[in-house]
């Protein structure tokens, strides 16, 4: 069979540059390994594990309203189930909608299904993500989209009347958007019994999803409305080993365990779980040192994390040379996102990195916490794919018994401002009584209601204000950015604020050469754009210079900028501009280089995230008194520390770092947000 050349689609390049909602790029990937790449598309479809379950899937959907479909990553759930429904004629009843947690996943899956059908994306198979859509109103019957897009569609059509089937893919990730969509779909299911819902998951949360969607009243003789179908991969038994004593450093213990397995166990590949990219690279260096000291090349040591390039991610799927053992050092990306063949031994460090929301400081941070029993079992399951395996847990059996049963879903540990705004816009006023799959803590809900009240999106009764509240709910950007954009119309700097918002939607525009002279030149090039007012005005400088140069790759190459990220930012800015002019009635005005106006407008949106330089030499938040530091990549890191700043987000690594900082004056806070800040004297406090 002749095979045509494989080209990287331009869309993949562009959309991969956009920031995703996931807490850390270490833990997610858009990468899917295809073991049958060399076969024709029809033959590849027949080889997928889900193929033999086609009739059972269709039977379950005929007889139940909700199907919870459990199957390993790579079993074909995302690409084949929509096609089975189309072939069986479900498209005649309405659209077949599939939601994905990430933009790049929606794009690549839509392209894949279109290729299998011999079409271009945008015909029978369409895709819709934030700021862009490839759908034909007459032709499109299978529609891939992000969860955010489905939620936006509910604003216009609360009962999703144009859809016959909704499939929530990768539901095990339990993001805030996933849980919001599941909660709303349950309400819709009661009103529209003919709507079929498929919840696709790679883990053991199946009973939770089934019970949540089972609309049968308690102690009723009515039949169940939800059912579980498992696409089984063959599983072999595993032996589990625990430490006798707790270890002080799990990275070093991981390396020692790898070396012990390599010396004493028969052939078979090793998969070691660590919490983040830094730990993976540290363990990689230690193992390479061991190998060099031994003078043998009998281990192939490979890292695996989300920000790794596709080429490097691909390496973990291929078998090692004869007589060489493959050792994969991975974040929890290898728990559910990808399945690596050949693994016999699994090392579990016992920890995981999660995004955690503090209601006191109203900020998110990344923290390392003990993992749950469900996650530990999921990790252990990687060892029993090809033969019986062994699992080495780097904690004691007593500690295992103390672990929580399940990892708290994102809904219980994240900022809920966007979720509450959205539900309010749908007319759901009593947020506390809304049926989430896992209800968020009341403390978090209260903090987000306070923030929205401070942003003037809610009034004292908790209902959406007009026009501010409806404007913030309408915009597909975080509420603080939306408030900044709303005020920009009044302050006469909406052109510049649009650019800043577009630049905040993409990953870093500055390339970071690995070392040597290139790294020094890259740092000098970045200094040319940096300004004393902070990171957001620096980003504005970069964009303006990029546009003035004709948006060329040559300009980006000379100035150590990433072309695809700037190109994507330009597209987002264009799309936001069009929506402002067409729908939202915000005038497009430029402040003509008046930086003070710009900084005041940034304060109008991000005033809750203000910090001041404490006399001890660290920054403290005005609200909550939390200690903060300037991020090393900030334009202000090497400058004299300003007295007052606002920031856009926090990152918790060795300490709490502020990112995307703007220098402000103290007097602006009570002037611009008098309802939130007021000056008090020492006498007042006493």
């Amino acid at each position: 069979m002749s095979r045509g050349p494989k080209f990287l689609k331009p869309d993949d390049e562009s959309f991969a540059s956009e920031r995703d909602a996931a807490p850390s790029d270490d833990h997610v990937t858009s990468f899917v390994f295809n073991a049958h790449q060399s076969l024709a598309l029809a033959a590849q479809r027949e080889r997928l594990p889900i193929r033999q379950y086609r009739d059972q899937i269709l039977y379950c959907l005929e007889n139940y309203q909700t199907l919870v479909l459990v199957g390993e990553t790579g079993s074909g759930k995302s690409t084949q189930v929509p096609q089975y429904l189309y072939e069986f004629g479900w498209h005649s009843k309405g659209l077949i909608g599939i939601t994905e947690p990430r933009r790049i996943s929606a794009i690549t899956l839509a392209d894949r299904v279109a290729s299998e059908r011999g079409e271009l994306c945008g015909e029978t198979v369409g895709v819709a993500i934030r700021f862009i859509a490839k759908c034909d109103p007459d032709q499109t019957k299978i529609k891939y989209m992000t969860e955010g897009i489905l939620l936006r569609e509910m604003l216009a059509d609360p009962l999703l009347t144009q859809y016959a089937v909704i499939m929530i893919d990768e539901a095990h990730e339990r993001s805030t958007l996933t849980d919001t969509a599941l909660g709303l779909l349950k309400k819709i299911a009661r009103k529209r019994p003919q709507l079929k819902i498929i919840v696709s998951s790679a883990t053991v949360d199946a009973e939770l999803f089934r019970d949540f969607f089972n609309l049968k009243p308690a102690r009723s003789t009515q039949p169940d409305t939800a059912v579980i179908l498992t696409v089984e991969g063959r599983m072999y038994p595993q032996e589990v080993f625990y430490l006798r004593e707790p270890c002080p450093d799990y990275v070093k213990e991981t390396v020692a365990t790898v070396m012990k397995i390599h010396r004493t166990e028969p052939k078979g590949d090793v998969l070691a779980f660590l919490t983040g990219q830094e730990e993976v690279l540290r363990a990689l260096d230690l193992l390479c040192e061991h190998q060099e000291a031994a003078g043998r090349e009998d281990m192939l040591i490979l890292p695996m994390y989300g920000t790794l390039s596709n080429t490097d991610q691909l390496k973990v799927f291929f078998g090692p040379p004869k007589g060489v053992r493959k050792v994969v050092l991975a974040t929890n990306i290898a728990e559910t996102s990808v399945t690596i063949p050949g693994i016999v031994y699994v090392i579990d460090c016992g920890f995981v990195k999660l995004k955690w929301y503090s209601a006191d400081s109203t900020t998110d941070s990344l923290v390392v916490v003990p993992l749950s029993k469900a996650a530990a079992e999921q990790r252990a399951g990687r060892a029993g794919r090809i033969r019986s395996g062994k699992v080495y847990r780097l904690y004691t059996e007593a500690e295992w018994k103390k672990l929580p049963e399940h990892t708290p879903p994102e809904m219980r540990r994240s900022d809920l401002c966007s979720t509450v705004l959205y539900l309010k816009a749908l007319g759901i006023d009593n947020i506390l009584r809304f049926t989430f799959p896992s209800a968020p803590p009341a403390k978090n809900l209260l903090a987000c209601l306070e923030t929205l009240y401070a942003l003037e999106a809610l009034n004292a009764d908790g209902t959406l204000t007009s026009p501010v509240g409806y404007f913030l709910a309408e915009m597909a950007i975080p509420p603080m950015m939306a408030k900044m954009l709303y005020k920009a119309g009044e302050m006469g700097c909406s052109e510049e604020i649009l650019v800043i918002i577009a630049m905040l939607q993409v990953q870093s525009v500055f390339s970071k050469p690995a070392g040597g002279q290139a790294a020094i030149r890259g740092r000098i090039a970045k200094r040319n754009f940096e300004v004393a007012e902070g990171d957001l005005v620096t980003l504005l400088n970069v964009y303006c210079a990029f546009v003035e140069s004709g948006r060329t790759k040559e300009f980006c190459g000379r100035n150590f900028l990433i072309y695809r990220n700037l190109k994507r930012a330009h597209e987002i800015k264009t799309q936001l501009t069009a929506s402002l002019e067409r729908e939202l009635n915000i005038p497009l005005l430029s402040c003509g280089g008046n930086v003070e106006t710009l900084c005041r407008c940034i304060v109008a949106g991000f005033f809750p995230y203000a910090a001041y330089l404490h006399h001890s030499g660290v920054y403290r938040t005005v609200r909550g008194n939390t200690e903060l530091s300037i991020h090393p990549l900030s334009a202000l890191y090497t400058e004299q520390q300003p007295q007052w700043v606002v920031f856009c987000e926090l990152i918790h690594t060795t300490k709490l770092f502020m990112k995307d900082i703007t220098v402000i004056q103290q007097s602006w806070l009570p002037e611009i947000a008098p309802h939130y800040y007021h000056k008090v004297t020492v006498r007042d406090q006493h």
Side-chain angles (χ1 to χ4, degrees):
M1 183 188 113
S2 65
R3 292 177 66 207
K6 291 285 286 180
F7 295 109
L8 185 67
K9 297 180 179 67
D11 279 353
D12 294 353
E13 188 76 6
S14 168
F15 291 106
S17 68
E18 209 166 321
R19 284 191 190 184
D20 266 315
S24 165
D25 291 332
D26 291 351
H27 304 323
V28 294
T29 182
S30 60
F31 182 79
V32 179
F33 174 66
N34 183 0
H36 309 298
Q37 181 73 43
S38 58
L39 300 174
L41 286 175
Q44 288 181 35
R45 289 187 68 191
E46 291 298 317
R47 293 283 186 97
L48 289 168
I50 198 136
R51 178 65 187 86
Q52 59 190 345
Y53 292 89
R54 178 181 182 273
D55 295 341
Q56 288 92 323
I57 290 166
L58 295 170
Y59 172 83
C60 288
L61 279 178
E62 283 289 319
N63 291 279
Y64 296 90
Q65 186 171 10
T66 303
L67 166 63
V68 181
L69 188 60
V70 183
E72 279 304 319
T73 306
S75 59
K77 304 185 300 296
S78 309
T79 57
Q80 301 310 301
V81 172
Q83 292 188 74
Y84 298 157
L85 295 169
Y86 183 88
E87 289 158 8
F88 198 65
W90 277 91
H91 64 281
S92 62
K93 303 175 185 179
L95 280 174
I96 299 163
I98 309 96
T99 71
E100 296 295 329
R102 287 176 291 283
R103 305 173 190 93
I104 189 71
S105 305
I107 291 281
T108 48
L109 286 169
D111 279 339
R112 171 72 188 188
V113 174
S115 300
E116 288 184 8
R117 294 184 51 77
E119 302 174 358
L120 291 172
C121 184
E123 296 174 10
T124 307
V125 183
V127 63
I129 65 167
R130 187 170 61 162
F131 301 130
I132 203 158
K134 287 185 189 173
C135 294
D136 186 306
D138 301 319
Q139 276 187 283
T140 299
K141 299 297 179 186
I142 299 173
K143 183 176 178 182
Y144 284 87
M145 58 194 145
T146 52
E147 289 150 344
I149 292 292
L150 181 71
L151 295 177
R152 294 268 146 210
E153 289 190 6
M154 285 184 198
L155 287 173
D157 181 10
L159 291 178
L160 297 175
T161 51
Q162 58 178 325
Y163 288 92
V165 183
I166 295 285
M167 178 173 174
I168 304 290
D169 201 11
E170 308 285 359
H172 57 268
E173 293 193 9
R174 297 297 302 277
S175 71
T176 304
L177 287 174
T178 305
D179 276 16
T180 308
L182 292 173
L184 288 165
L185 281 173
K186 181 175 181 177
K187 290 178 82 74
I188 294 169
R190 291 185 190 280
K191 298 280 186 186
R192 280 192 64 203
Q194 70 275 27
L195 175 71
K196 301 295 183 178
I197 299 164
I198 302 172
V199 181
S200 162
S201 173
T203 60
V204 289
D205 288 337
E207 285 83 6
L208 183 147
F209 292 133
R210 181 199 58 201
D211 296 342
F212 180 71
F213 276 103
N214 197 356
L215 304 179
K216 181 184 80 167
R219 294 188 293 279
S220 165
T221 55
Q222 293 175 23
D224 289 344
T225 62
V227 66
I228 298 171
L229 177 64
T230 306
V231 179
E232 299 239 350
R234 185 155 182 209
M235 288 294 290
Y236 295 88
Q238 308 111 25
E239 281 185 85
V240 180
F241 300 94
Y242 297 92
L243 291 180
R244 287 199 186 94
E245 299 291 331
C247 65
D249 184 338
Y250 59 78
V251 177
K252 286 183 179 173
E253 191 67 31
T254 298
V255 171
T257 309
V258 169
M259 297 309 298
K260 207 175 292 178
I261 291 169
H262 188 53
R263 284 195 299 267
T264 60
E265 295 289 345
K267 68 177 184 179
D269 297 340
V270 181
L271 171 60
F273 285 98
L274 294 163
T275 65
Q277 180 181 336
E278 303 85 8
E279 290 181 0
V280 166
L281 295 176
R282 188 175 142 213
L284 182 74
D285 291 341
L286 289 170
L287 279 171
C288 289
E289 283 175 23
H290 276 290
Q291 188 155 263
E292 282 171 23
R296 290 203 301 269
E297 295 285 323
D298 52 355
M299 274 196 302
L300 177 63
I301 308 155
L302 298 168
M304 182 67 177
Y305 48 86
T307 50
L308 211 55
S309 69
N310 277 4
T311 312
D312 291 326
Q313 289 190 33
L314 189 64
K315 291 176 184 173
V316 303
F317 296 97
F318 297 132
K322 193 171 181 185
V324 174
R325 190 193 298 270
K326 180 170 71 180
V327 177
V328 179
L329 304 168
T331 59
N332 60 341
I333 184 178
E335 235 176 73
T336 55
S337 300
V338 292
T339 301
I340 301 168
I343 299 298
V344 177
Y345 307 102
V346 164
I347 302 167
D348 176 7
C349 73
F351 290 92
V352 66
K353 193 184 279 185
L354 295 175
K355 183 172 78 168
W356 215 275
Y357 175 73
S358 162
D360 297 326
S361 63
T362 67
T363 51
D364 285 320
S365 53
L366 282 170
V367 292
V368 175
V369 295
L371 84 170
S372 63
K373 285 181 180 171
E377 292 293 352
Q378 188 69 25
R379 289 179 176 186
R382 304 280 128 178
R385 297 266 172 245
I386 54 168
R387 66 169 198 251
S388 56
K390 293 185 178 180
V391 180
Y392 299 85
R393 289 180 172 153
L394 304 184
Y395 40 94
T396 61
E397 195 164 2
E399 286 303 315
W400 155 259
K401 289 172 182 166
K402 294 179 192 170
L403 291 178
E405 289 298 325
H406 294 282
T407 307
E410 194 182 19
M411 179 66 74
R412 292 189 58 78
R413 51 184 173 81
S414 65
D415 178 19
L416 300 169
C417 285
S418 296
T419 307
V420 169
L421 256 187
Y422 173 75
L423 292 174
K424 292 278 185 187
L426 269 178
I428 298 168
D429 281 329
N430 194 343
I431 306 291
L432 294 171
R433 295 290 301 277
F434 182 73
T435 51
F436 290 109
S438 301
K443 191 178 181 183
N444 291 10
L445 266 177
L446 187 62
C448 105
L449 288 168
E450 284 178 4
T451 303
L452 289 173
Y453 180 66
L455 289 171
E456 299 172 329
L458 299 179
N459 60 21
D461 300 327
T463 52
L464 275 185
T465 57
S466 180
V468 179
Y470 285 97
F471 178 85
L472 267 56
E474 188 76 24
M475 294 300 292
I477 53 177
M480 287 186 190
M481 281 189 207
K483 179 66 187 288
M484 180 172 73
L485 182 56
Y486 180 83
K487 295 299 275 187
E490 296 175 12
M491 294 184 170
C493 56
S494 46
E495 281 273 9
E496 288 82 2
I497 292 296
L498 272 177
V499 170
I500 289 170
I501 289 172
M503 292 289 274
L504 288 172
Q505 303 306 308
V506 298
Q507 294 165 11
S508 174
V509 293
F510 298 105
S511 67
K512 296 189 284 289
Q517 286 298 310
I520 296 167
R521 288 203 304 275
R523 184 75 195 95
I524 293 167
K526 188 182 176 191
R527 291 293 300 167
N528 292 336
F529 295 108
E530 289 177 350
V531 289
E533 285 82 6
D535 299 312
L536 300 192
V537 184
T538 298
L539 290 176
L540 177 63
N541 272 354
V542 172
Y543 180 88
C544 292
F546 174 65
V547 171
E548 282 168 19
S549 72
R551 308 201 307 272
T552 62
K553 282 189 176 180
E554 291 72 25
F555 170 80
C556 293
R558 282 196 311 274
N559 291 282
F560 292 84
L561 300 171
I562 301 170
Y563 173 72
R564 68 172 189 178
N565 292 5
L566 278 163
K567 175 171 162 273
R568 183 70 189 129
H570 179 70
E571 290 167 6
I572 291 171
K573 192 252 177 186
T574 307
Q575 288 145 6
L576 278 172
T577 304
S579 71
L580 276 196
E581 289 176 320
R582 192 175 59 246
E583 299 159 13
L584 299 168
N585 205 22
I586 297 284
L588 275 174
L589 303 166
S590 171
C591 62
N594 187 335
V595 181
E596 183 177 322
T597 300
L598 208 53
C599 292
R600 288 170 68 92
C601 187
I602 291 165
V603 171
F606 286 95
F607 61 83
Y609 288 177
Y612 66 97
L613 185 60
H614 193 254
H615 59 74
S616 61
V618 297
Y619 281 92
R620 288 178 185 260
T621 53
V622 179
R623 178 193 172 120
N625 220 20
T626 311
E627 282 198 8
L628 306 173
S629 302
I630 292 176
H631 195 278
L633 294 179
S634 169
L636 301 172
Y637 187 67
T638 54
E639 297 293 310
Q640 183 179 351
Q641 290 182 303
Q643 197 63 41
W644 286 80
V645 296
V646 291
F647 55 90
C648 294
E649 64 173 313
L650 290 182
I651 290 183
H652 192 173
T653 50
T654 50
K655 47 190 170 181
L656 266 174
F657 288 112
M658 299 180 283
K659 269 195 79 184
D660 302 322
I661 306 167
T662 303
V663 178
I664 65 165
Q665 291 177 24
Q666 180 189 358
S667 60
W668 295 351
L669 291 171
E671 181 190 334
I672 293 170
H675 57 291
Y676 200 79
Y677 294 109
H678 63 274
K679 272 189 172 181
V680 293
T681 64
V682 177
R683 191 183 303 141
D684 290 338
Q685 289 178 323
H686 291 304

